């Protein structure tokens, strides 16, 4: 299994438009972060988690030839607003399978009415195959996916475990029985926004505590704000099995 971090930044990305913050002005490519998404390549299938505003650029830089499924964590724009750009995949492959909670699907239907409508479809508009998911395991192209229910302040979010890889973003609180589902993973990806506390995201300390509790071989932090600091400086302070993810990082599991 191969995982590519397509984006590792918080909702505004880094650099933030117009910002003079030193991290936003950094020339280190690891300090430039598109909005969060990962591509999981497993048994020859390409599973995308989230499809945000930087989707097109992410697909071009990583030369992604096919998308077999899109799994959505939740409805926030930084995770969903790139859906129109599935068009080149739709033209080649037909309807693109999307997997989302019913609430998230309803939000997508509202935002992308022209993609979901079946009548009077505009020629050139893409189409999707809708798969509503609940908090129980499902399969995508024969691959078992275990959703992990977490809370992002008051918004429910799905993390996903695929074999020994787990991806959890936009979490602030995680119930004990959901955390149990993550035990035994080799790689855990978890959100860590910044050092200061935040109402809807783990900060660095909360993420590190959670990693310690789960005990993966390796953990990667994502959904990072410029307030976290320079990549290299923060990385130097982390435990030896914890890494700040960065855009275009690829890992094998
Ligand atoms: Zn987000
Ligand atoms: Zn969010």
């Amino acid at each position: 299994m191969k995982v590519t971090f397509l984006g590792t930044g918080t909702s505004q990305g880094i650099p933030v438009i117009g910002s003079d913050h030193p991290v936003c002005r950094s020339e280190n490519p690891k300090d430039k972060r598109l909005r969060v998404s990962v591509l999981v390549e497993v048994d020859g299938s390409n599973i995308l988690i989230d499809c945000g505003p930087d989707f097109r650029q992410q697909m071009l830089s990583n030369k992604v030839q096919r998308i077999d499924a899109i799994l959505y964590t939740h409805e926030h724009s930084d995770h969903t607003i790139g859906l129109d750009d599935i068009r080149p995949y739709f033209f080649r492959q037909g309807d693109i399978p999307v997997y989302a909670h019913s609430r998230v699907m309803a939000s997508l239907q509202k935002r992308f009415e022209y993609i979901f409508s079946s009548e009077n479809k505009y020629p050139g508009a893409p189409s999707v195959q809708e798969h509503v998911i609940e908090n129980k395991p499902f399969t995508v192209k024969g691959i078992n996916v275990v959703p992990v229910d977490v809370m992002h302040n008051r918004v429910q979010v799905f993390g996903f475990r695929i074999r020994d890889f787990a991806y959890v973003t936009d979490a602030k609180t995680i119930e004990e029985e959901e955390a149990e589902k993550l035990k035994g993973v080799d790689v855990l990806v978890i959100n860590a926004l910044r050092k200061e506390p935040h109402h809807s995201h783990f900060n660095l300390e909360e993420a590190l505590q959670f990693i310690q509790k789960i005990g993966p071989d390796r953990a990667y932090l994502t959904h990072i704000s410029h307030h976290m600091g320079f990549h290299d400086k923060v990385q130097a302070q982390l435990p030896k099995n914890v890494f700040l993810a960065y855009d275009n990082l690829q890992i094998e599991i």
Side-chain angles (χ1 to χ4, degrees):
M1 187 185 332
K2 185 165 94 179
V3 173
T4 305
F5 288 88
L6 301 167
T8 57
T10 189
S11 55
Q12 297 188 79
I14 307 178
V16 171
I17 296 172
S19 169
D20 286 334
H21 190 282
V23 172
C24 293
R25 298 179 60 171
S26 165
E27 292 193 359
N28 183 351
K30 291 179 180 169
D31 286 320
K32 301 198 186 301
R33 301 181 186 277
L34 298 177
R35 270 58 70 88
V36 289
S37 175
V38 285
L39 180 71
V40 183
E41 297 177 60
V42 50
D43 293 351
S45 291
N46 281 350
I47 302 176
L48 181 75
I49 305 184
D50 287 331
C51 182
D54 300 313
F55 170 73
R56 176 175 178 275
Q57 194 181 337
Q58 292 163 332
M59 295 302 100
L60 288 172
S61 9
N62 290 281
K63 300 188 169 59
V64 181
Q65 296 295 325
R66 271 189 77 77
I67 298 268
D68 294 294
I70 304 174
L71 315 187
Y72 283 102
T73 58
H74 66 304
E75 65 272 44
H76 284 163
S77 287
D78 54 325
H79 300 256
T80 57
I81 211 69
L83 188 60
D84 186 69
D85 280 324
I86 60 169
R87 293 172 71 220
Y89 297 105
F90 165 72
F91 294 144
R92 287 199 298 266
Q93 300 172 217
D95 296 6
I96 303 296
V98 297
Y99 294 76
H101 186 285
S102 56
R103 182 198 79 245
V104 176
M105 200 67 89
S107 166
L108 292 170
Q109 286 163 353
K110 211 160 135 188
R111 289 177 179 204
F112 298 99
E113 187 269 330
Y114 64 98
I115 292 180
F116 287 81
S117 73
S118 47
E119 285 164 27
N120 294 325
K121 203 147 178 147
Y122 185 78
S127 294
V128 293
Q129 241 176 60
E130 298 174 51
H131 299 269
V132 169
I133 53 172
E134 296 167 39
N135 188 15
K136 47 185 184 198
F138 58 96
T139 54
V140 175
K141 292 256 170 183
I143 298 142
N144 197 45
V145 181
V146 180
V148 181
D149 206 59
V150 305
M151 292 303 288
H152 179 32
N153 195 339
R154 273 174 292 176
V155 178
Q156 177 275 346
V157 175
F158 276 142
F160 298 105
R161 177 173 180 165
I162 301 173
R163 299 184 185 159
D164 288 329
F165 167 75
Y167 182 81
V168 178
T169 189
D170 295 59
K172 174 65 182 179
T173 49
I174 305 178
E175 297 283 329
E176 212 51 54
E177 58 179 301
E178 297 300 312
E180 272 306 306
K181 297 178 183 172
L182 299 169
K183 295 265 166 82
V185 291
D186 292 341
V187 171
L188 172 66
V189 180
I190 186 80
N191 61 301
L193 187 74
R194 60 187 188 193
K195 290 170 182 150
E196 299 298 307
H198 187 267
H199 69 95
S200 65
H201 281 278
F202 275 167
N203 67 358
L204 180 58
E205 191 186 335
E206 290 165 322
L208 291 176
Q209 275 167 7
F210 188 70
I211 291 164
Q212 202 163 38
K213 171 171 158 170
I214 302 301
D217 294 345
R218 286 175 286 162
Y220 292 85
L221 306 176
T222 193
H223 214 295
I224 296 162
S225 146
H226 59 290
H227 295 297
M228 180 69 96
F230 293 104
H231 178 281
D232 293 352
K233 244 173 150 170
V234 177
Q235 180 61 58
Q237 296 160 356
L238 295 176
K240 66 173 186 347
N241 66 335
V242 181
F243 306 91
L244 275 192
Y246 53 87
D247 289 16
N248 304 319
L249 166 67
Q250 292 193 329
I251 57 173
E252 299 275 346
I253 295 134

